[in-house]
Amino acid sequence: GMQYNDAIRFRSQGTVASSGSRIIVQKPSIRQTISVGVCGALHRLGTTKQALHITKFLNDSGYTACYIEDNGRGHMDTLKDFYHVEVQGEGHIVYDGIDIYTNVNMARILERRYDFLIFDNGLFEETSLQQFMTRDIKIICAGSTPWEAPHLSPVFQNLGDYTDVHFIFSFTPKSMEIEIQKLMGRFSKRCWFAGYAPDFIDGITNHAVYREVFKSFIHDAQLNRKTGLFERIKR
């Protein structure tokens, strides 16, 4: 009864994962690939950067993750004009150690057996809500200025009673964080505030936020080893 997008999450491994495995194992003979949907409540909220930063964070933490441009914008096709990228094949480039797919070729992507698939879905109102809600982790990027906040209203209306969604706010003053959490109501415990991270690829600045978002899907022991590295780099 599963649709293809649901079924591809599960792949038979034949053996029980070892104690050192980085993969979350639901059943002894099943390996799970975690899908992550990222979209923005409004244009120019840094949605693409968040998706790329999350991908970098997961790779730096010892997992395998890739970024998938699933919004029809074609922004990733322009990277070769500004950065040194490695072309791995049609629709697949590598920049700063991150696998970036400029189109959704799931058969090819799944061959690489990534731990996490990060889908950049672009604008929320242009995203297939049904498809977005099938993702294991759902992230909506939001803004807190007077002209950005109203764009959350249609998001709430479309989500209905569903609460399994994370909201990441960018460019938010510390003084406003508590008030925004109160206003987020049922989403208050899934409301996060990203620090200023202007670099195109950055898995360090907001690693504390990402760690909370992904805590149900990753091993703390793996991250604890990496956190020390993050802190040394920041100093």
Side-chain angles (χ1 to χ4, degrees):
M2 287 186 178
Q3 294 182 351
Y4 178 72
N5 285 338
D6 300 315
I8 61 176
R9 292 173 47 208
F10 302 100
R11 288 174 269 162
S12 175
Q13 297 299 296
T15 58
V16 178
S18 67
S19 59
S21 172
R22 299 190 305 268
I23 309 306
I24 303 301
V25 179
Q26 298 285 356
K27 297 179 181 179
S29 61
I30 295 296
R31 166 175 169 162
Q32 182 181 3
T33 297
I34 308 302
S35 61
V36 182
V38 184
C39 63
L42 184 65
H43 284 302
R44 302 190 183 282
L45 288 174
T47 302
T48 293
K49 272 191 177 180
Q50 286 293 347
L52 287 166
H53 291 186
I54 287 169
T55 308
K56 179 66 172 175
F57 161 78
L58 290 167
N59 278 287
D60 284 349
S61 299
Y63 297 88
T64 58
C66 69
Y67 166 96
I68 304 169
E69 187 172 33
D70 189 19
N71 52 47
R73 298 294 178 185
H75 295 321
M76 296 299 108
D77 286 326
T78 67
L79 293 189
K80 60 182 180 295
D81 298 327
F82 297 91
Y83 302 98
H84 174 69
V85 301
E86 302 173 27
V87 179
Q88 298 295 309
E90 185 179 356
H92 179 196
I93 60 176
V94 176
Y95 175 68
D96 197 14
I98 290 182
D99 283 337
I100 296 173
Y101 291 91
T102 60
N103 56 59
V104 187
N105 184 339
M106 291 309 302
R108 183 175 182 180
I109 293 170
L110 290 173
E111 287 179 354
R112 302 295 296 270
R113 305 175 70 83
Y114 295 101
D115 300 334
F116 292 87
L117 306 178
I118 315 301
F119 293 88
D120 178 359
N121 296 125
L123 191 63
F124 178 81
E125 66 181 31
E126 298 174 358
T127 299
S128 167
L129 182 62
Q130 181 178 6
Q131 185 180 58
F132 179 70
M133 298 307 284
T134 65
R135 305 304 183 198
D136 297 299
I137 300 176
K138 296 164 279 289
I139 299 171
I140 296 177
C141 299
S144 55
T145 63
W147 57 89
E148 292 169 339
H151 289 271
L152 281 174
S153 293
V155 173
F156 294 149
Q157 292 172 7
N158 279 282
L159 292 179
D161 295 329
Y162 207 90
T163 59
D164 187 22
V165 178
H166 295 274
F167 287 82
I168 296 182
F169 286 83
S170 299
F171 318 118
T172 303
K174 283 284 184 183
S175 59
M176 292 181 61
E177 291 182 4
I178 294 178
E179 185 63 26
I180 289 174
Q181 283 183 316
K182 291 179 180 177
L183 293 173
M184 289 297 289
R186 65 185 186 278
F187 297 106
S188 62
K189 293 184 178 180
R190 292 177 178 269
C191 176
W192 315 99
F193 300 94
Y196 180 59
D199 289 345
F200 183 63
I201 301 291
D202 179 355
I204 297 173
T205 301
N206 290 301
H207 77 274
V209 170
Y210 302 148
R211 178 172 178 169
E212 287 298 313
V213 172
F214 286 87
K215 66 182 179 181
S216 296
F217 295 86
I218 52 183
H219 297 298
D220 283 340
Q222 182 79 12
L223 282 186
N224 286 337
R225 291 198 298 272
K226 292 293 180 177
T227 299
L229 172 62
F230 289 149
E231 295 302 328
R232 289 197 297 274
I233 293 174
K234 288 174 70 177
R235 289 198 295 268

